[in-house]
């Protein structure tokens, strides 16, 4: 179910397949999304209720989740889940608190003061997908950095189930993480509501969180009206291994990614042909006991691969070309090569650091750049929930020192009113 | 040429006009841009040369600016401009160096190591507009933070003049700021070239810099393939003044913004009706000597305003509603109110800190969020030229401590292969 590639030509052709992953034409979906955005902008709640009836199959009276519904959910959730959510919250907080940045200023002896003021965003919208699986971990990862940044109002949107309720695990995670308001809205209409505001839903400054293609397109179209987190594609893992790793660990890690999605990509790069063969065996053995076997097999066949290379340096070079979302360094001395990794969302070091550890419990964020965008995007962080203002103060004497330089510059750019604003301050001297 | 608004109703109607500024329908432009992107993606340099002939009216042999052309430009530029460019570079560097962030890590006693690796982007494209006016200051503001971040390759694109050359002031600024490669390409085709790469132009990781509507739309459409700086609209200034400011300073500052563009907005909020009347007089007097009088008058009539309020706190509240790109605090004790400013791109404190000082010489960046996007965007900074990776290391014993928690979490999310990747590591114990 997974191919082994041993020549560079084969590897390069495989990379071409990976690059096209998830890049299908969305022309029709885009037209639907444009119509939904326009309709919500014009009709507000009325449009939201209609789309919820049409798409989610439920007629709601109220879009907003009540305190009672949240309390009810807290009672329905397994106590063991509440307990691990609380442990995860504590670890995620500890890590993200290190990301907090202070405002700063610098002064000069002639009285100049300048600096940068760091402030939390006021209102943030968090999209949480509905559907068959509920991911409370995703609620934590999107909400906790916003809380640490100091966002005043966090509004969660999530599609209702057929019974008109929200999955209780999701509500419990929202409550424990500190979400302020929850709305039963999904799809492009939820993104529209948060971007433009309606009678019930507040307009926010930024929208984060994963969603289907309609949600992703709506976020892209609303970008600029609000900020968004990033443009996300299908997920991937890349594992670099020397000959010493345990093949059963490697197989398990590849499949943990593959079970997400038929478009997910799981790639192992190794220096050992013997190991490659053993991993293949392990995949066949382990997959039998896994619930999402069909998805795993399909994903590994389409976008999985074991690449044989002659050195760990060559493996790193290929990894930097892929710029993977998740990168596991399963080599004897993983810290030795950390400095060579140029592009990766999250890096997992050593044999006892499987990616799912980072998905849930360890602390770093699991919202990561996908499909090669780790070249320029970063893991979701406290930085995503703040914005900065620069500030500048000059006393008169300090402006006098530079006034001629500013005027010279404005003259060469043909902006005389710019020069005039400096000049006028010394006209009566 | 500027209206005075004294009731809150009038002010709110004026704000509605401001909010619609620059929001015209770009449906036709969007279609052209889509075609240009597709064509450059398919045909590369051939398409670039054809568009340059059609749009810029010049048949080029080479898209890349040579070393000789740069040297020639350095000889053509006025020495006084070289001198102020060098002074500006020094100030801009000093400010932006304070923004540099270190990678960090945290350790725990049980051997856990985790942290965040901060790395410069590899390749960045800087768009520099051509047309009537050349803005070397814009080159500095976009390039210097990239240099400080450590970007390996900075590629500048700018449309050629009719004679096939690039404005020498632009080339000199690029040379002095440290641009690595310069290409004579403008418009949406330049953004396409940098996003997809061609035979001559390298594919970059991020595109920054201002441009016309075609450039802006191309950047928006390519967002996700590459990163972009921000979605920029027309420029604005807001000045808050008590009764003590000099009306001639205020008038000059409003006009320095108004001269940019007929869509620019210049707004004064003051507690003094007497001052408002004097500013109006000063505008009429000063505008007569300014070269761009027509644009100034038009801009002030359309999007200029003097708002009379009863207190500085009320002025701040209105300012926070506008979230201006440039905010001048022309009050006696400007630092007293800095803490109340929630949304602004760049804040100028006191009577001797006119906005053009920040445009050229002081140090903070002049690439700022416009049309209310200061609610969520920040000034261009070193942060825009880095990306982060998180990293995580767990020894076996540390994983053993949390393994049951991770497995519990995966079970509730229905992801058994996730749980398996932890479980398999302890199967033979």
């Amino acid at each position: 179910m997974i191919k082994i590639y041993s020549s560079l030509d084969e590897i390069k052709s495989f990379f071409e397949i990976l690059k096209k992953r998830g890049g299908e034409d969305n022309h029709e979906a885009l037209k639907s999304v444009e119509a939904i955005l326009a309709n919500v902008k014009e009709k507000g709640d009325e449009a939201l209720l209609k789309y919820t009836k049409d798409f989610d199959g439920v007629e709601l009276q109220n879009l907003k989740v009540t305190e009672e519904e949240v309390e009810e959910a807290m009672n329905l959730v397994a106590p063991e889940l509440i307990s691990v959510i609380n442990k995860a919250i504590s670890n995620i907080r500890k890590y993200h608190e290190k990301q907090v940045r202070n405002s700063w200023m610098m002064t000069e002896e002639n009285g100049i003061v300048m600096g940068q003021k760091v402030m939390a965003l006021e209102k943030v919208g968090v999209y949480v997908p509905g559907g068959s699986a509920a991911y409370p971990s995703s609620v934590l990862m999107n909400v906790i950095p916003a809380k640490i940044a100091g966002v005043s109002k966090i509004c969660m949107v999530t599609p209702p189930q057929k019974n008109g309720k929200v999955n209780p695990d999701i509500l419990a995670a929202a409550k424990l993480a500190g979400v302020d308001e929850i709305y039963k809205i999904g799809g492009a209409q939820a993104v529209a509501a948060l971007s433009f505001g309606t009678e019930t839903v507040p307009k926010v400054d930024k929208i984060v969180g994963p969603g289907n293609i309609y949600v992703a397109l709506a976020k892209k179209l609303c970008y600029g009206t609000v900020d968004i987190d990033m443009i996300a594609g299908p997920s991937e893992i890349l594992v670099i291994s020397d000959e010493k790793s345990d093949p059963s660990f490697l197989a398990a890690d590849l499949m943990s990614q593959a079970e997400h999605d038929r478009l997910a990509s799981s790639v192992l790069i190794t220096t050992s042909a013997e190991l490659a063969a053993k991993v293949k065996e392990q995949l066949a053995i382990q997959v039998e006991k896994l619930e999402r076997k069909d998805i795993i097999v399909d994903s590994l066949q389409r976008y999985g691969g074991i690449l044989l290379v002659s050195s760990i340096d060559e493996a790193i070079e290929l990894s930097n070309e892929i710029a993977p979302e998740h990168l596991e360094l399963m080599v004897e001395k993983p810290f030795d090569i950390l400095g060579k990794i140029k592009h990766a969302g999250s890096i997992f070091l050593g044999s006892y650091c499987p990616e799912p550890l980072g998905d849930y419990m360890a602390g770093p964020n699991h919202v990561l750049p996908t499909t090669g965008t780790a070249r320029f995007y970063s893991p979701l962080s406290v930085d995503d929930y703040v914005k900065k203002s620069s500030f500048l103060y000059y006393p008169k004497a300090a402006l006098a020192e530079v006034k001629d330089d500013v005027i010279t510059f404005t003259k060469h750019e043909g902006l005389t009113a710019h020069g005039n604003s400096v000049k006028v301050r010394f006209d009566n001297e």
Side-chain angles (χ1 to χ4, degrees), chain A:
Chain A
M1 79 185 116
I2 197 166
K3 261 191 225 143
I4 298 181
Y5 302 89
S6 49
S7 83
L8 196 61
D9 279 354
E10 283 177 344
I11 290 173
K12 292 290 172 178
S13 325
F14 174 60
F15 279 14
E16 287 309 309
I17 293 169
L18 287 189
K19 276 176 196 162
K20 290 188 183 108
R21 190 170 55 109
E24 58 286 319
D25 179 33
N26 296 312
H27 196 69
E28 285 307 309
L30 193 65
K31 278 203 288 186
S32 314
V33 170
E34 281 182 305
I36 292 169
L37 296 183
N39 204 15
V40 172
K41 193 173 182 178
E42 192 194 327
K43 295 188 184 153
D45 285 353
E46 186 194 329
L48 296 178
L49 290 166
K50 185 171 178 311
Y51 286 125
T52 305
K53 188 178 161 197
D54 293 351
F55 298 150
D56 303 304
V58 47
E59 277 193 76
L60 294 177
Q61 300 304 316
N62 291 305
L63 292 164
K64 194 168 175 178
V65 173
T66 61
E67 279 297 321
E68 290 70 35
E69 286 176 290
V70 175
E71 287 312 316
E72 187 185 82
M74 289 296 286
N75 292 325
L76 287 171
V77 175
E80 63 170 14
L81 182 61
I82 300 275
S83 161
V84 293
I85 286 177
N86 278 325
K87 285 184 197 172
I89 288 175
S90 162
N91 287 349
I92 297 165
R93 275 198 190 133
K94 209 191 300 183
Y95 179 87
H96 286 81
E97 275 163 2
K98 299 273 180 191
Q99 295 172 332
V100 173
R101 302 174 71 183
N102 292 324
S103 299
W104 56 262
M105 59 177 270
M106 56 196 279
T107 57
E108 299 194 5
E109 290 199 13
N110 62 358
I112 294 171
V113 180
M114 54 191 167
Q116 187 176 278
K117 202 172 174 230
V118 181
M119 290 166 288
L121 300 184
E122 270 184 17
K123 285 177 264 181
V124 164
V126 178
Y127 190 91
V128 176
S132 50
Y135 296 135
S137 62
S138 174
V139 176
L140 307 187
M141 292 295 182
N142 281 284
V143 171
I144 294 170
K147 292 297 283 186
I148 291 174
V151 171
S152 333
K153 189 184 271 192
I154 301 174
C155 303
M156 189 174 105
V157 291
T158 189
Q161 298 170 326
K162 289 264 182 291
N163 63 3
K165 305 208 168 183
V166 174
N167 177 296
D169 293 355
I170 295 293
L171 286 187
K175 165 86 177 172
L176 295 169
V179 167
D180 298 292
E181 295 172 3
I182 306 169
Y183 298 92
K184 297 173 191 171
I185 320 167
Q189 61 274 20
V191 175
L194 292 167
S195 297
F196 309 124
T198 71
E199 301 90 322
T200 307
V201 183
K203 174 173 169 41
V204 300
D205 300 314
K206 181 163 187 164
I207 301 173
V208 302
N212 63 19
I213 185 65
Y214 295 94
V215 173
L217 287 173
K219 279 166 71 181
K220 187 164 178 171
L221 289 178
C222 290
Y223 181 58
T225 303
V226 293
D227 194 14
I228 62 172
D229 46 356
M230 49 184 126
I231 309 279
S235 190
E236 73 257 348
I237 191 170
L238 192 148
V239 185
I240 293 177
S241 175
D242 55 24
E243 74 289 357
K244 296 188 182 157
S245 300
D246 187 319
S248 70
F249 298 6
L250 294 167
D253 293 1
L254 294 174
M255 290 191 295
S256 77
Q257 189 58 38
E259 80 170 329
H260 268 300
D261 182 349
R262 290 173 200 276
L263 290 173
S265 167
S266 308
V267 175
L268 167 66
I269 312 185
T270 180
T271 48
S272 163
E274 201 188 326
L275 184 86
K278 285 188 188 158
V279 170
K280 233 182 136 161
E281 279 171 37
Q282 275 295 322
L283 287 169
I285 296 167
Q286 290 184 35
V287 76
E288 292 305 326
K289 58 183 173 181
L290 297 174
E291 284 173 20
R292 297 164 73 92
K293 182 183 163 187
D294 286 358
I295 295 174
I296 293 171
V297 171
D298 194 26
S299 156
L300 288 179
Q301 267 166 352
R302 294 169 73 187
Y303 299 115
I306 301 180
L307 319 184
L308 282 176
V309 295
S310 54
S311 69
I312 292 297
D313 274 348
E314 196 185 335
I316 292 168
E317 208 172 294
L318 291 171
S319 171
N320 283 335
E321 193 176 328
I322 293 284
E325 181 190 12
H326 304 98
L327 173 62
E328 288 187 0
L329 303 180
M330 300 265 276
V331 296
E332 214 179 4
K333 297 185 174 176
F335 282 99
D336 285 12
I337 59 170
L338 182 58
K340 290 184 177 169
I341 305 305
K342 290 184 184 166
H343 314 291
S346 197
I347 307 166
F348 301 80
L349 300 148
S351 281
Y352 290 90
C353 198
E355 185 233 296
L357 172 64
D359 285 346
Y360 294 103
M361 292 301 293
N365 211 288
H366 80 197
V367 181
L368 299 167
T370 55
T371 56
T373 59
R375 290 190 66 87
F376 46 83
Y377 286 143
S378 304
L380 190 71
S381 75
V382 173
D383 290 345
D384 289 291
Y385 297 102
V386 301
K387 40 78 187 258
K388 295 158 273 180
S389 298
S390 50
F391 61 87
L392 183 65
Y393 170 75
Y394 265 56
K396 187 175 180 183
L399 182 63
E401 282 174 39
V402 296
K403 82 177 168 52
D404 293 338
D405 291 333
V406 177
I407 292 166
T408 300
F409 220 139
T410 63
K411 205 178 66 189
H412 284 277
E413 292 199 350
L415 296 173
T416 47
H418 277 58
N420 178 59
S421 81
V422 174
K423 201 175 148 295
V424 75
R425 282 165 161 85
F426 300 93
D427 266 355
N428 301 320
E429 307 281 298

